[in-house]
Amino acid sequence: MFDDAVRQDSPIHDGVADLRLEQANREDWSAVAGPHWKDPESLYTHLSQNTNIIEAARRMEWNDVVPEEAVVLDLGCGSGWLAAMLTQHPGVHKVVAWDASPALLTDVVPAMVSLMGGDLSKVERVCAHFTPLLIDDASIDLAVMSSAFHHSSSPESLLEDLVRVLRPGGAIVLLNEVPFPVPIMLGAIGTRAIAAAVNAMTTRLTISKPGHVAADHLLYDDVLGDRALTEAQWRRLFRRHNLAVQIIDTSLPSYPRGFRPRQRLEKNLTHFVLRPQGSRERAGAGSH
Ligand SMILES: C[S@@+](CC[C@H](N)C(=O)[O-])C[C@H]1O[C@@H](n2cnc3c(N)ncnc32)[C@H](O)[C@@H]1O
């Protein structure tokens, strides 16, 4: 299923330090996203008690998108809780748990699958980036990404690749995204514009505002690469790729009230179910 072009000989000559692996490790999610990403038990407790993402995924109508003998791609699988959940669906044959973090795939995913009561024999772990997506054309029945798509630095290429790897009748489900409310987006753009104007006018004062504003998104965390999009921006992105979208409002905020109160205008965890326009319903989907 995967492209052999991944393995290439190093072009570095003798006597030249090759720091690429070191750099890759520095970007490892488990090293930058906080201490509990290293420990499966505390991560499982955090995700299941302090966030609503697992409960929101349970609210998805999986029978609508999982055909029989399904090959599922969990892209940006992180700790693997969603891959684990999907191995329990009777239609799922295999889940490819794909992430750029070697530490998560090696040290966390197997334990998380067991804590979630999943079936590790159905999980194939792959350490690679989102794009280019080194998977054969038309080889995946269902691609899922939980809280992960908005970390892509090239969402257009990623969607193009996701559509390419889908089998006819397949679906892409982007789970646990939180569309940005328009007033909050305008406020974030305004404060960054003011900071940029001040920085442009004076040599004495520097206003530091993380991230940047772009025509089709706001990058608000430049360490983890979080992008915010309004619902209109999400819809426009999907339209550019000729994807029909079903928007599922899970009615759950990202965090239970006891852990963190909902912020002003904050939207619920939202799932986007995407299907290439004109693709036929695959026989068997929804029959479980
Ligand atoms: C916010 S976490 C979400 C993890 C998991 N899906 C969940 O719902 O808990 C984002 C994940 O995407 C991975 N990731 C971010 N950018 C990536 C990229 N360009 N290629 C592959 N994985 C990436 C990170 O390593 C991290 O595990």
Side-chain angles (χ1 to χ4, degrees), residues 121-181:
S121 71
K122 288 188 181 179
V123 178
E124 183 176 337
R125 287 170 288 158
V126 176
C127 189
H129 288 284
F130 291 162
T131 50
L133 191 54
L134 300 171
I135 301 180
D136 288 346
D137 296 0
S139 56
I140 297 288
D141 296 291
L142 169 66
V144 298
M145 295 184 78
S146 165
S147 308
F149 186 90
H150 68 265
H151 289 283
S152 170
S153 53
S154 37
E156 305 284 351
S157 319
L158 177 53
L159 271 185
E160 201 176 310
D161 264 346
L162 285 170
V163 170
R164 177 184 60 75
V165 303
L166 277 192
R167 287 190 179 136
I172 302 162
V173 184
L174 308 183
L175 296 110
N176 295 325
E177 293 294 351
V178 184
F180 233 46

Side-chain angles (χ1 to χ4, degrees), residues 6-169:
V6 195
R7 271 174 259 114
Q8 289 174 349
D9 290 336
S10 167
I12 307 283
H13 299 294
D14 283 347
V16 177
D18 185 352
L19 301 180
R20 292 172 300 169
L21 190 58
E22 204 171 296
Q23 288 171 337
N25 285 340
R26 210 175 292 153
E27 285 169 13
D28 190 310
W29 184 271
S30 71
V32 289
H36 47 228
W37 281 85
K38 286 194 167 52
D39 173 45
E41 275 90 12
S42 73
L43 187 52
Y44 174 71
T45 305
H46 170 69
L47 293 175
S48 53
Q49 294 180 9
N50 299 338
T51 83
N52 284 323
I53 59 173
I54 297 180
E55 176 54 26
R58 293 209 166 100
R59 295 188 180 188
M60 170 71 203
E61 286 293 341
W62 290 108
N63 288 345
D64 292 349
V65 289
V66 176
E68 279 166 27
E69 291 292 300
V71 175
V72 180
L73 170 68
D74 180 2
L75 191 56
C77 66
S79 63
W81 64 265
L82 179 58
M85 184 189 286
L86 288 169
T87 62
Q88 295 165 56
H89 189 287
V92 170
H93 169 66
K94 174 164 85 168
V95 181
V96 182
W98 185 294
D99 202 282
S101 163
L104 284 172
L105 290 168
T106 310
D107 304 335
V108 177
V109 170
M112 183 61 78
V113 172
S114 151
L115 287 164
M116 291 281 299
D119 180 350
L120 192 57
S121 71
K122 288 188 181 179
V123 178
E124 183 176 337
R125 287 170 288 158
V126 176
C127 189
H129 288 284
F130 291 162
T131 50
L133 191 54
L134 300 171
I135 301 180
D136 288 346
D137 296 0
S139 56
I140 297 288
D141 296 291
L142 169 66
V144 298
M145 295 184 78
S146 165
S147 308
F149 186 90
H150 68 265
H151 289 283
S152 170
S153 53
S154 37
E156 305 284 351
S157 319
L158 177 53
L159 271 185
E160 201 176 310
D161 264 346
L162 285 170
V163 170
R164 177 184 60 75
V165 303
L166 277 192
R167 287 190 179 136

